[in-house]
Amino acid sequence: MNKRIAECYAAAYGNESFVRVLEGKALPDTKNVTDTNVCEIAWRLDVRTGRLIVFSAEDNLVKGASGQAVQSMNLLCGFPETAGLV
């Protein structure tokens, strides 16, 4: 089951410039995303309850409204999605 979940996350976010899916025992941490437009994601499967627990960390000042505005403008104007954000 864990392999299938990992494959789903890789398929969904593998080509995304601003999403980092963590593997193994690593967990998201704000120190890794501060002053970036990156969102870190990790997950754990609780075998007791059958629930998937998802963890994420982002800098809401950059990844929030301002970063999203620049990212959207880049896409709208035909610029590279990462322009001004990397």
Side-chain angles (χ1 to χ4, degrees):
M1 179 61 96
N2 285 343
K3 184 179 178 185
R4 187 166 179 215
I5 295 168
E7 289 171 352
C8 288
Y9 271 96
Y13 298 111
N15 294 323
E16 294 296 327
S17 301
F18 299 114
V19 178
R20 197 177 310 142
V21 178
L22 305 177
E23 298 180 10
K25 296 186 182 228
L27 289 173
D29 194 325
T30 53
K31 72 180 178 187
N32 299 326
V33 297
T34 300
D35 298 328
T36 73
N37 197 49
V38 173
C39 178
E40 285 189 339
I41 299 175
W43 56 270
R44 299 292 184 271
L45 180 61
D46 183 340
V47 292
R48 185 181 61 82
T49 62
R51 291 184 180 177
L52 183 66
I53 304 166
V54 180
F55 305 89
S56 66
E58 68 180 19
D59 180 339
N60 67 337
L61 294 177
V62 179
K63 185 63 179 169
S66 61
Q68 185 60 48
V70 172
Q71 190 174 349
S72 296
M73 181 199 69
N74 287 342
L75 293 172
L76 183 66
C77 295
F79 301 135
E81 184 178 6
T82 58
L85 295 169
V86 179

